[in-house]
Each structure stands twice: as C-alpha cells, then as structure tokens.
Amino acid sequence: MYQIGDRVKFMNAVGGGIITKIVGKNMVHVENEDGFEIPVMTSEIIMDEIDQEAVTNSDKKPDVSDFIRQGMKKPKTEDRKVKVEEPITIIRGNDEPKFYLAFLPENARNPLDGQTKIYLVNDSNFFILYHYSHFANEQYVTQEAGKLEPNTKLLLGTLSQADIAGLPAFAFQMMFYRDKSPKLEKPLRKRITINPVKFYKSGSFKQSDFFSGKVMLYKLNESEMEKALKELTDKDVKQAAREKEPARAPQPVKVELPELLEVDLHMHELIDDTAGLSNKDMLDIQMKTFREKMEEAISSNAVKKVVFIHGLGNGVLKTELRRELSTKYKKYAHQDASFQEYGYGATMVIIRR
C-alpha cells in the first residue's frame, strides 16, 4: 500500500516522483520532477528501487556509486521553494460558466469492461473552488476539495463494475470567479443521482469536445437562458403557445404501447422516498409493479417483449421475479436481456398470443 511521501517510478513513461495525495484504492497524485501533480493509477507505478535499496542497506558501508546516485536525486517536495506553474488558458468569448460531471469508460462499446474514470470539466474562463462528495445513507462524505483552473478538467476517481452496482449520489459545492468581472457569481450546489442502468447501455456515451473517446456528461449548472425558461410557469407557456399557434380543433389522443416495453424496477424509479420501508416492503412494491406491467402487456395487442430491469444487487428480486414467471406466467418464455443494452441486470419476457 502506498503512502504520502513515497518515491515512485512510472511503469509506462519515463520518470517518476513523490506521492502527494491518496485519491482512493486505485489512484494517487504524483508530483513529478518538474513540480507538476499528475493523477496516476496505482497499477501504473512502482516503488523507486533506489529509495528501497537505501532503506535495506542502511547499515552497509557507503560506496562511491551510492554518493553518485544520491547526488542525482531530486529534492523532496517540502524542500522546493519555487514551483513552476502551467500557463492558464483563457479562451476568448468563453465567458459563460459551464461545468460538467463526466464519466469516461475504457471501452465505450462495453462500459463495464474495465474502469470508468470520473472527471470534473470546467468549460469556461472561470476559476472554480470546489468541494466534491458522495451522498449515501443521509450523509455527505467528502471525496476531494480544491481549485480548478479555467478550461481544464480534473480526474476525480474511478469506478469499477462493483462500484456501479451501488452508486452514491454525486454532490458538488462550488464558488467560481474571474480575475476581473462586472458582477459577483452565486455559489453553486448540485446533487446528481444516476441510474446504474445507464452504464449498461452503450448509447449513454457520446462524443464530446472534451475527450477523444465517448463519454457520459451531466451539466452541473444552468445558463441564464435555461434559468429564465425554468422560471416560466405552466400558464405562461400555454399562453405563449396560444399566441404563437393558430386555433385548431383538439385531436383525440390515442396512447399505444410500444412493441418493446421497458420497466425499471429500481426503488428510486418507483417511489420518491424509501424511508421506513423494510426489505420485504420494497420487494412487495417491486413485485406489484412487475405483475401490473405483465398484465398490461398481456392485455395489449402491441407489446411483444417486456424487459424488466432489476439490476445485480444481491439477486433477491431477480430470483423472485423469475420464480413467478416460471409459475404464474409459465406460458410466456423469458431469458436474460441483451448484455450490450442492459448488462447482467435485466430479464426479457416474450409475449406470445
């Protein structure tokens, strides 16, 4: 296990440096010989052999080669008085604050095949003072805090397949500013809850201006136009629509179910608050929804397939759902849904009449 202050070498690049921060189980920040901090996976570094040898042979009589090696070492972080900073990038006209949370998979075609990196993207000429936390079990747990320069992105951490199955909510507090500005900006608070099913669908990841690979983006702040539209009441919207469009007779609306019906059985999709509910209570709600949707699909002439998204979890919901399909609905065949679209967390039922 690495510790702050350890001297390490890069396995896939020349050089190395000193660990200045532990981000998580799989990532650290390393300050290289030029004074820049670089986020690095722990699988891509090794301990500096010179330092290890110095510890092992502390009682050994010094040799001329030892003094040569010691002379070649760079000074430790705490001994550096001057640190060279990268120039700040200011893009002309990019003066509207635009901040994003980004998820970049190693393999966009199969996002669960490998790690998914989490980034904070600053697409503006603003400096950001940020606080990043996870929200779970009614608690905000700090993950990182710091400063992000204009028109840059920051690696916050990584997600494994096991992490995706139990995602927390991602929370941010931000103050942002420019060196010169005609006004003061209001602080930003944002909490984002992401349905894990999105990580199972390759279509959730799209090309962007920030990464070479496909990425899933969530905007953290609203533009002035978006804020203005949000402040419009339903009455304002209807009035504007009446003024813009000529009067016409209302058309009867006929609701038809699609051939493929998707039903997400995750609790946060079924009810707003699970406080006070036992595991059995939640399972009863999920199974009630399952039966209602099955009856709805069976009575419809349009639906040919139903996909129930139950996730991985501990397998209780999947087991109960398939037990009932094999008894009460044994007339209808069922199987694992497409891995490409849903991963391992969904069951497809074929509605044959």
Side-chain angles (χ1 to χ4, degrees):
M1 185 69 181
Y2 294 104
Q3 297 179 346
I4 294 176
D6 285 348
R7 183 176 290 277
V8 296
K9 288 183 177 180
F10 302 134
M11 295 176 65
N12 300 324
V14 177
I18 297 172
I19 294 177
T20 58
K21 186 175 184 179
I22 308 296
V23 178
K25 296 182 292 184
N26 303 318
M27 180 169 293
V28 296
H29 283 191
V30 175
E31 185 171 310
N32 65 15
E33 296 172 352
D34 297 320
F36 299 127
E37 278 196 5
I38 304 170
V40 186
M41 303 293 292
T42 55
S43 60
E44 298 176 358
I45 57 175
I46 58 173
M47 293 292 291
D48 191 311
E49 294 179 358
I50 296 176
D51 272 7
Q52 293 288 10
E53 185 179 340
V55 173
T56 306
N57 301 325
S58 57
D59 297 328
K60 181 181 175 182
K61 185 177 180 180
D63 185 80
V64 174
S65 60
D66 294 331
F67 289 102
I68 294 174
R69 286 199 298 269
Q70 290 295 329
M72 293 173 64
K73 287 186 178 180
K74 297 291 180 181
K76 293 184 178 180
T77 306
E78 57 267 27
D79 295 332
R80 293 177 181 169
K81 301 301 182 183
V82 179
K83 182 175 178 179
V84 179
E85 298 286 350
E86 290 182 339
I88 297 170
T89 302
I90 300 297
I91 300 175
R92 185 175 181 180
N94 200 23
D95 298 328
E96 181 181 328
K98 298 187 293 291
F99 315 132
Y100 301 89
L101 176 63
F103 296 90
L104 179 67
E106 291 181 352
N107 181 357
R109 291 187 176 181
N110 184 7
L112 297 181
D113 181 20
Q115 300 279 335
T116 297
K117 294 181 179 179
I118 310 171
Y119 283 90
L120 174 60
V121 179
N122 179 9
D123 180 28
S124 72
N125 291 334
F126 285 84
F127 292 87
I128 303 176
L129 300 178
Y130 68 91
H131 173 262
Y132 164 55
S133 61
H134 289 171
F135 180 75
N137 301 320
E138 303 302 319
Q139 293 287 328
Y140 290 93
V141 180
T142 297
Q143 302 299 309
E144 187 169 336
K147 180 180 179 181
L148 188 58
E149 294 180 346
N151 302 295
T152 56
K153 54 181 179 281
L154 175 70
L155 181 61
L156 297 175
T158 59
L159 294 173
S160 65
Q161 182 174 352
D163 296 328
I164 290 173
L167 279 182
F170 299 91
F172 292 88
Q173 296 180 93
M174 294 181 180
M175 292 182 63
F176 49 99
Y177 64 93
R178 289 186 290 172
D179 286 339
K180 294 181 179 180
S181 177
K183 65 175 182 177
L184 297 176
E185 304 291 342
K186 293 182 180 179
L188 169 68
R189 293 188 299 171
K190 185 73 172 181
R191 191 173 83 192
I192 296 178
T193 302
I194 302 173
N195 190 332
V197 174
K198 288 186 175 292
F199 289 88
Y200 294 89
K201 297 183 177 183
S202 59
S204 300
F205 299 86
K206 304 182 184 300
Q207 293 292 346
S208 73
D209 296 331
F210 314 121
F211 302 91
S212 58
K214 291 186 177 181
V215 66
M216 182 161 57
L217 282 178
Y218 287 87
K219 195 169 185 182
L220 297 176
N221 64 312
E222 297 176 328
S223 67
E224 294 300 323
M225 178 65 73
E226 290 168 336
K227 290 178 183 176
L229 289 174
K230 193 173 182 179
E231 289 174 0
L232 287 174
T233 64
D234 289 340
K235 184 178 179 181
D236 295 327
V237 173
K238 291 176 182 177
Q239 179 64 30
R242 282 196 296 268
E243 292 174 358
K244 186 175 182 179
E245 295 184 3
R248 57 185 179 183
Q251 299 294 322
V253 178
K254 184 179 180 182
V255 178
E256 291 187 0
L257 294 174
E259 289 189 359
L260 174 62
L261 178 64
E262 286 187 355
V263 182
D264 194 337
L265 294 176
H266 286 91
M267 285 304 299
H268 63 265
E269 294 291 334
L270 304 181
I271 59 175
D272 294 331
D273 187 8
T274 60
L277 295 179
S278 66
N279 290 338
K280 183 180 182 305
D281 293 335
M282 290 188 282
L283 180 61
D284 289 343
I285 292 172
Q286 290 169 314
M287 290 304 297
K288 181 176 181 289
T289 303
F290 159 71
R291 296 182 192 105
E292 289 174 351
K293 293 299 180 181
M294 276 296 297
E295 296 301 329
E296 184 179 320
I298 292 169
S299 61
S300 166
N301 292 324
V303 178
K304 296 181 179 179
K305 298 176 183 177
V306 187
V307 174
F308 291 100
I309 302 169
H310 44 66
L312 294 173
N314 55 20
V316 174
L317 176 57
K318 177 181 178 180
T319 301
E320 183 64 18
L321 185 148
R322 293 202 171 188
R323 184 192 66 77
E324 193 149 320
L325 283 171
S326 300
T327 54
K328 184 176 179 180
Y329 300 103
K330 59 184 178 181
K331 172 183 175 182
Y332 306 102
H334 64 274
Q335 63 189 54
D336 288 333
S338 167
F339 176 81
Q340 183 70 20
E341 291 294 320
Y342 305 99
Y344 295 110
T347 296
M348 181 171 68
V349 182
I350 311 298
I351 306 297
R352 291 175 180 162
R353 294 174 177 83

